[in-house]
Amino acid sequence: KIAFDTASGGIGVFRVTTEDGTKYVFNDREYGSVYNSSFKSGYNGWNYARAWYLSQIIAPFGTDTITLTYNTTYEDINISFPQTVYVDNSNINSTKYYSPIGSEIFYLKRLASIIFPDKKRISFLYDRSIKYDGIDSVLNRINIEDSVFRYGYILDWNCCKSGPVVNGRSFLAGIRSYSPTSVSPEYQFTYSNT
């Protein structure tokens, strides 16, 4: 069964209930907006939901709940709209080309944590100074904790080490586990450009 709430003017939240009674709640929305200053467009300033993210998994009869939280980041990229050609019918040789540009703004969601019924938590930390593909920040650390930090993983990216960057993308170079008292040797990855 799928149910949704439209009180906010669009689909604000939707819920999927499976046959066994498990509920999946999608309450975190990722937004985008298109802006252009060089021409009029029906899309100018239009906000739209790009995606809905899973917020909760509720066990049948509400006995246990897994909660997912997200951080919102802001990204702004330049975009090109389709080119328009104006032709003067009285003089076929007289044409004008118009190549409008604008920007698309994204309010991106990145998984911040998963909280389990027994209060265990997995936290996801991102490094905004390193971009995976020129836009998205790389996942830097994964921490596992209950009431205190227990252990985690450090993800190293090739921009911090020597290694290939193909088509502007960063590649995972290594993983290290760590605890409050120690850091393990790194497990390294290598890539071939062929």
Side-chain angles (χ1 to χ4, degrees), residues 3-15:
F4 54 89
D5 176 9
T6 58
S8 61
I11 297 176
V13 59
F14 71 92
R15 296 168 189 84

Side-chain angles (χ1 to χ4, degrees), residues 117-136:
D118 61 0
K119 303 304 180 205
K120 285 187 180 165
R121 173 188 298 256
I122 301 174
S123 300
F124 302 89
L125 307 167
Y126 299 86
D127 186 340
R128 291 188 51 86
S129 68
I130 305 171
K131 302 295 183 185
Y132 169 71
D133 60 358
I135 297 173
D136 287 331

Side-chain angles (χ1 to χ4, degrees), residues 126-183:
Y126 299 86
D127 186 340
R128 291 188 51 86
S129 68
I130 305 171
K131 302 295 183 185
Y132 169 71
D133 60 358
I135 297 173
D136 287 331
S137 300
V138 299
L139 179 60
N140 181 259
R141 289 178 188 252
I142 301 170
N143 291 341
I144 293 94
E145 53 201 69
D146 43 30
S147 59
V148 296
F149 170 70
R150 298 294 177 194
Y151 64 95
Y153 300 93
I154 301 169
L155 288 76
D156 293 317
W157 296 85
N158 71 326
C159 61
C160 302
K161 297 178 173 291
S162 61
V165 176
V166 179
N167 295 329
R169 292 189 179 270
S170 298
F171 289 88
L172 184 62
I175 297 176
R176 296 176 282 157
S177 63
Y178 75 106
S179 69
T181 59
S182 67
V183 177

